[in-house]
Amino acid sequence: MNDIIQKINKKTAVIGIVGLGYVGLPLALEYATKGFKTIGFDIDERKIPILNSGKSYIKHIKADKIKKTVNNKKFIATADFSRLPEADAIIICVPTPLNEHREPDITYIENSGKVIAQYLRAGQFVSLESSTYPGTTEEILLPMFENAPLTQSAASSGQSSKGKIKPFVVGKDFFLAFSPEREDPNNPKYSTATIPKVVGGVTPNCLKVALAIYNQVIVKTVPVSSPRAAEATKLLENIYRSINIALVNELKMVFERMDIDVWEVVDAAATKPFGFQAFYPGPGLGGHCIPIDPFYLTWKAREFEISTKFIELAGEINTFMPYYVIEKATEVLNK
């Protein structure tokens, strides 16, 4: 632990970012800009030459920032995951969609974990940033990494090494944490570096390393007791938004029948300096998180025999809103 923290403080630690999308790429650029050698990993080989030539494929991420870090030899992109052992810290930023049954699809997390386990070496730190259900870090990734030495030995010898090599011990041989992304793409007020970061480590040592890593580039870190608490924090943030959006969407329909302008009502209510936050009606939900994350919790809650009625109801209302908007647009066009 002391070795990796010393490397971090001296900025000699190498940062590896797995997944170069709207979350991973800006995070990689923050570390590179702060002077850390940063390696970006992605399975999409089309992205690699674009990034290494200093260009951008994400609208709100300026090419100038990429070009500067590439020219300074602080950032390089690759599809070669055999370079993972070069990294002292590995941060996973991969998608977590829903499948056709509206259940969590954590294939990207699982595949990333398997590859990292294949190359994991003693002393490395791994953090998951993908939005997911509480328990993912410790139930899915932790067992993979604890058995990493066995996996590596078996792969090199072609035989099982059980009984010959001791498994890794989390918090001693490697460090594992969860820190949810809080990106708001194209928001001019907030960026990756200026949004506080919630961090939960599997052990106290894991948390110490995680805070050392994130404190280098994030304005403020918020430690919590466990990865599960950090995973739940991200879900609460987006469930809060989903339910309040559904509430104001429902009120829009109610007030319309009463011939009351919902926009006027919300703006008037927003003048109250406490106890109220303005949400506005719209055609359902958009973005990468709010339409998806709440259902990660509804799925996990069923394991504990709990029905999440608020979340399900909010989902029903927000799913109906596009049809409502089409109906109202049709009425206006007919007039």
Side-chain angles (χ1 to χ4, degrees), residues 100-134:
E100 65 272 19
H101 303 297
R102 212 179 66 183
E103 295 175 339
D105 178 1
I106 58 169
T107 304
Y108 294 97
I109 293 178
E110 290 176 327
N111 290 343
S112 298
K114 288 174 185 176
V115 174
I116 292 169
Q118 185 180 344
Y119 294 106
L120 191 70
R121 61 170 173 79
Q124 279 182 314
F125 166 80
V126 183
S127 177
L128 177 62
E129 292 208 0
S130 308
S131 302
T132 185
Y133 59 84

Side-chain angles (χ1 to χ4, degrees), residues 1 77 85 87 94 115 134 176 219 265 293:
M1 181 187 71
V94 295
V115 174
L176 180 61
V219 63
V265 172
D293 294 357

Side-chain angles (χ1 to χ4, degrees), residues 146-220:
E146 285 179 325
N147 293 318
L150 305 179
T151 305
Q152 291 176 18
S153 177
S156 60
S157 66
Q159 298 177 350
S160 172
S161 60
K162 191 172 183 180
K164 298 178 182 178
I165 296 179
K166 292 182 180 179
F168 274 157
V169 176
V170 67
K172 180 181 177 184
D173 300 314
F174 74 101
F175 309 93
L176 180 61
F178 181 84
S179 181
E181 59 88 4
R182 279 175 162 175
E183 285 293 319
D184 192 8
N186 215 29
N187 186 330
K189 190 175 180 181
Y190 297 105
S191 65
T192 301
T194 61
I195 302 171
K197 202 103 170 65
V198 174
V199 184
V202 173
T203 71
N205 283 351
C206 294
L207 181 60
K208 287 179 184 177
V209 177
L211 294 176
I213 289 281
Y214 285 116
N215 279 333
Q216 293 290 331
V217 296
I218 306 297
V219 63
K220 180 184 178 182

